[in-house]
Amino acid sequence: QVQLVESGGGLVQAGGSLRLSCAASGRASSAYVMGWFRQAPGKEREFVAAISRSGFDTKYADSVKGRFTISRDNARNTVYLQLNSLKPEDAAVYYCVASRSLYIRIMWGEYNYWGQGTQVTVSS
């Protein structure tokens, strides 16, 4: 089992950047595919990005491709999401997730663990 705690959210102007962190405790994060989802008020939760256990493979939602970067440091049991060129539509609660799957997943139901979320607010 793994516990996930997100940090790094906040208020930023459009065009700005943030870096979200997800600290994993319990079982080593290297045993999991890791990812990020987000949910804005009144909208469905959506996939943002995911990274393989090794960190060699990544996948992004089309809406964030080229602007967001997911990475991981297995020695620190931490996953990161670098958010650049932020837009007002990126505002949401961002959730860190972990899956026991061998492969990258993009559906919320395919992840076994998730954190409490961190709020990202983007002002226009």
Side-chain angles (χ1 to χ4, degrees):
Q1 193 166 0
V2 64
Q3 293 77 44
L4 306 173
V5 178
E6 304 95 335
S7 63
L11 172 64
V12 64
Q13 286 189 328
S17 298
L18 282 174
R19 188 175 83 154
L20 307 184
S21 298
C22 173
S25 60
R27 192 176 178 190
S29 64
S30 59
Y32 300 93
V33 167
M34 303 294 291
W36 291 89
F37 283 72
R38 67 186 181 186
Q39 187 168 22
K43 294 188 177 181
E44 292 188 356
R45 189 183 297 120
E46 63 176 350
F47 170 79
V48 176
I51 188 166
S52 64
R53 295 183 180 195
S54 65
F56 290 152
D57 295 318
T58 58
K59 188 171 181 66
Y60 297 92
D62 288 344
S63 59
V64 307
K65 203 172 295 184
R67 299 187 299 121
F68 292 6
T69 303
I70 189 170
S71 61
R72 67 190 300 163
D73 184 342
N74 286 339
R76 297 179 182 271
N77 283 329
T78 303
V79 176
Y80 304 97
L81 185 68
Q82 179 68 40
L83 291 65
N84 295 332
S85 302
L86 280 161
K87 305 175 181 180
E89 53 263 42
D90 293 318
V93 176
Y94 283 70
Y95 297 92
C96 177
V97 294
S99 172
R100 293 190 293 264
S101 171
L102 293 177
Y103 306 105
I104 287 178
R105 301 297 183 186
I106 65 171
M107 302 296 291
W108 177 268
E110 296 174 307
Y111 285 85
N112 307 104
Y113 306 99
W114 49 91
Q116 293 298 309
T118 186
Q119 177 73 51
V120 171
T121 304
V122 184
S123 63
S124 57

